[in-house]
Amino acid sequence: MYNRLFNAKKIFLAAALLAIALPVFAQEIGVQLYSFRKQLPGNVPAMLEKISSMGIKELEGGSSYGLPVDEFKSLLKKNNLKVISVGADFEQLAKNPQASVDLAKTYGAKYVVVFWIPHTDVFTIDDAKKAVNVFNTAGKLLKENGIALCYHAHGYEFGAYGEGTLFDYMAEKLNPAYANFEMDVFWVKHPGQDPVALLEKYPKRFPLMHLKDRKPGTEGNQKGEADVETNVVLGTGDVGIAAIMKAAKKAGVKHYFIEDESSRSVEQVPLSLAYLRSLK
């Protein structure tokens, strides 16, 4: 009896220690296929195999890179890759949201993401109001089809408005049942915002996250513009990835995608993955 109790205690202690040692993220870390936009068109099968060999299982995409869709999907299955979210053009979403429903269902994706709201030099309250209307309307249709809509901010949304920002206006006016956000931590940092503070301010509103780090010393702006070569290996920049990962877990982020837009993405993504796996 004593031996059984002693062994049970050892097992419990080992499990507790393992839980403490687990990485700060429990979910898979995926990749936004835009990271490999230069490599994929040249040899889709080889690049998908390479992505899989990095230990990646989840993707954000929506294109078949010139291959027939069924052939592309077969390659995804062969390499144990799953499309979690697909992109949608803002104007198409406004005019034909069913097309986004169909695209998501084609790939078995659970999310549709809009990456840009068309506007002139400065994003205005009128632009924000139009976007809110489009997202609430399209998001309702998507939800009825079992798909969630997210908007990926690019920095221009953080212009001052009222007692806050245009982003705050959008967060207030978007119906969370129909539309939420994908946080790109680079594009929150770049206009001078704090990703951790934003996660804490709007818990449960960011089911998706782009992980991207910024070369220290890079000058930010609210234009949604940056040199892609300022994208560096996660943990080596000034965005504060470690603190963000802890806050993201508490804020209910469900899927993470590394997005490395630099010319070094093939070399940097594995290093970024290694960094994330080292976090405790």
Side-chain angles (χ1 to χ4, degrees), residues 197-216:
L198 202 63
L199 286 166
E200 292 174 346
K201 186 174 184 178
Y202 296 109
K204 310 301 181 183
R205 297 303 303 273
F206 295 98
L208 307 179
M209 176 173 280
H210 277 184
L211 295 172
K212 184 187 303 178
D213 217 340
R214 187 180 72 163
K215 182 180 179 180

Side-chain angles (χ1 to χ4, degrees), residues 12 31 61 74 80 82 102 105 149 152 155 157 162-163 258 272 279:
F12 176 80
V31 73
S74 294
N80 195 28
K82 183 179 181 180
D102 295 341
K105 288 186 175 182
L149 176 64
H152 172 303
E157 308 85 353
E163 296 182 358
I258 294 174
S272 291
L279 295 175

